[in-house]
Amino acid sequence: MTVLVRSGVGPLCAVARAAIPSIWRGKYFSSGNEPAENNPVTPMLRHLMYKIKSTGPITVAEYMKEVLTNPAKGYYVYRDMLGEQGDFITSPEISQIFGELLGIWFISEWMATGKSTAFQLVELGPGRGTLVGDILRVFTQLGSVLKNCDISVHLVEKTPQGWREVFIDIDPQVSDKLRFVLAPSATPAEAFIQHDETRDHVEVCPDAGVIIEELSQRIALTGGAALVADYGHDGTKTDTFRGFCGHKLHDVLIAPGTADLTADVDFSYLRRMAQGKVASLGPIKQHTFLKNMGIDVRLKVLLDKSNEPSVRQQLLQGYDMLINPKKMGERFNFFALLPHERLEGGRHQRNARQSKPFASLVAGFSELAWQ
């Protein structure tokens, strides 16, 4: 589950399905007491053991990149991780309505910014193309640029000696086993910690910061919008680094290469890295965003068009999964980056009687109202 790549130049850039990995310290850290049969020596584990023996402990960011995207042994390379038979499922795979509503959001922003003929839709998340397929069904006449990427995270912990980054090393007490250790001295990742940070464990993702900076600069100069949708928090959580295998939580250090590794997005970090170049909205909960986008109306249309009981049941189950606060409704958040003039009202909206531009509502981030 990884996100965000460099977007193409153009007035509208879309970042959908973002997952920026972070940190986990708790029950999903390796306990050190797992039976040998529960810690199989996978090809990826052998590869990591050789790597660590050759070069020393590695960062969590490097561990994630190796485990997920190594060309020969990476989890994303040789496993079909999506769907009921995989290890996790994403919102686009649950219901076509999700992608359709995002398509409406992009069209809304395109119209609000003057319907420019230079239009690019860029999806910055991995997957099967289900999301962008649903979006393009909403506006089949517009082209898209598809990209894929991986972003990993650095874990930093507060100690009596100051901030220290978390590394992964070989456990000297148990053969073929990995463990977490603290760096003996300062590392570059610590530069991303805010001076007034009150948490004792922080997840930093320099790669995501660079991408947000570039997106912000492009949007500020050429217009457009970025929409981020994923697990996340607004600078309130500390430990979210976790693994998933067969839709169940999985120890992140056990059998590397057989499970997905992910973590929550820190939206406060994304907002900070935008550096005020653009305006930001959110994060808001998925159920609120989709309700504001008219998911209830779209569901009713699809149900009215279908006479097949199995299809109707699938639509209702998908709707519940997306909206129910106990499922994905409150676990996922939406966050947007927009030009400042988009919220302040562009110059094309001014007239002789207005000394100030009027604010323009953004779909999904304000309550749906019928006129």
Side-chain angles (χ1 to χ4, degrees):
M1 295 172 65
T2 47
V3 289
L4 296 175
V5 291
R6 206 170 288 176
S7 64
V9 176
L12 184 62
C13 298
V15 180
R17 185 69 195 97
I20 301 176
S22 319
I23 173 176
W24 182 271
R25 294 185 76 250
K27 63 184 289 189
Y28 302 109
F29 261 162
S30 180
S31 68
N33 299 317
E34 296 84 356
E37 61 271 18
N38 292 339
N39 188 15
V41 180
T42 62
M44 175 55 67
L45 178 57
R46 292 195 188 96
H47 168 71
L48 291 169
M49 299 283 284
Y50 291 139
K51 184 179 184 69
I52 293 172
K53 287 178 181 178
S54 300
T55 63
I58 59 177
T59 66
V60 173
E62 187 172 2
Y63 176 78
M64 293 184 73
K65 287 183 178 180
E66 286 288 340
V67 170
L68 298 177
T69 63
N70 181 283
K73 307 175 181 67
Y75 170 81
Y76 287 163
V77 175
Y78 75 94
R79 291 179 67 92
D80 185 10
M81 62 281 190
L82 293 173
E84 293 183 4
Q85 303 303 315
D87 295 321
F88 63 90
I89 192 167
T90 62
S91 294
E93 305 290 334
I94 292 172
S95 174
Q96 69 182 70
I97 302 178
F98 184 85
E100 291 172 348
L101 294 180
L102 264 60
I104 294 172
W105 190 89
F106 296 128
I107 288 180
S108 173
E109 284 306 299
W110 175 66
M111 294 175 66
T113 53
K115 301 181 181 179
S116 171
T117 56
F119 181 99
Q120 289 186 350
L121 172 70
V122 183
E123 182 189 3
L124 304 179
R128 298 169 174 165
T130 303
L131 175 62
V132 80
D134 290 337
I135 291 173
L136 291 178
R137 195 164 56 247
V138 178
F139 49 102
T140 57
Q141 299 305 313
L142 297 177
S144 68
V145 180
L146 298 180
K147 302 283 186 180
N148 196 355
C149 71
D150 173 74
I151 292 181
S152 300
V153 65
H154 295 262
L155 316 185
V156 188
E157 178 177 335
K158 184 179 290 185
T159 73
Q161 292 75 39
W163 291 102
R164 291 293 183 267
E165 186 169 2
V166 178
F167 279 64
I168 293 173
D169 196 5
I170 298 171
D171 191 332
Q173 304 299 323
V174 184
S175 63
D176 298 326
K177 189 174 185 298
L178 301 174
R179 64 169 183 169
F180 290 96
V181 296
L182 290 177
S185 58
T187 62
E190 297 163 30
F192 291 85
I193 304 296
Q194 290 289 94
H195 69 278
D196 57 350
E197 179 60 65
T198 59
R199 292 173 290 176
D200 57 3
H201 304 96
V202 180
E203 313 158 350
V204 296
C205 186
D207 289 347
V210 171
I211 290 168
I212 289 296
E213 284 187 290
E214 182 168 341
L215 284 175
S216 298
Q217 183 174 354
R218 287 173 179 261
I219 291 171
L221 291 175
T222 64
L227 184 66
V228 181
D230 215 316
Y231 294 104
H233 60 92
D234 204 13
T236 57
K237 294 184 179 180
T238 58
D239 305 329
T240 68
F241 181 36
R242 58 200 182 276
F244 279 99
C245 184
H247 299 271
K248 296 181 180 179
L249 286 164
H250 178 87
D251 190 314
V252 295
L253 295 186
I254 297 298
T258 66
D260 182 45
L261 301 178
T262 187
D264 289 359
V265 177
D266 184 345
F267 290 105
S268 68
Y269 173 69
L270 302 190
R271 186 186 304 110
R272 187 168 72 249
M273 296 311 294
Q275 298 180 343
K277 296 176 182 176
V278 293
S280 64
L281 292 177
I284 64 171
K285 299 300 183 182
Q286 176 167 291
H287 67 81
T288 301
F289 180 87
L290 296 180
K291 286 278 188 179
N292 290 344
M293 288 301 303
I295 188 173
D296 293 327
V297 177
R298 181 55 179 158
L299 175 66
K300 184 178 185 304
V301 170
L302 293 175
L303 289 174
D304 290 344
K305 287 184 176 180
S306 177
N307 296 320
E308 180 62 43
S310 61
V311 173
R312 293 173 62 86
Q313 182 181 15
Q314 184 179 22
L315 287 169
L316 291 170
Q317 288 177 342
Y319 172 88
D320 181 64
M321 180 64 75
L322 294 175
I323 293 295
N324 193 325
K326 296 181 179 180
K327 297 179 182 179
M328 287 183 167
E330 290 195 353
R331 294 179 185 175
F332 281 78
N333 293 269
F334 279 77
F335 177 84
L337 298 175
L338 302 162
H340 286 295
E341 57 267 25
R342 170 68 181 88
L343 300 184
E344 298 168 354
R347 281 179 289 182
H348 63 281
Q349 294 176 318
R350 301 189 188 197
N351 58 47
R353 296 183 180 180
Q354 289 178 308
S355 60
K356 294 183 179 180
F358 61 83
S360 180
L361 297 179
V362 177
F365 291 88
S366 55
E367 187 174 352
L368 181 64
W370 299 101
Q371 296 180 349

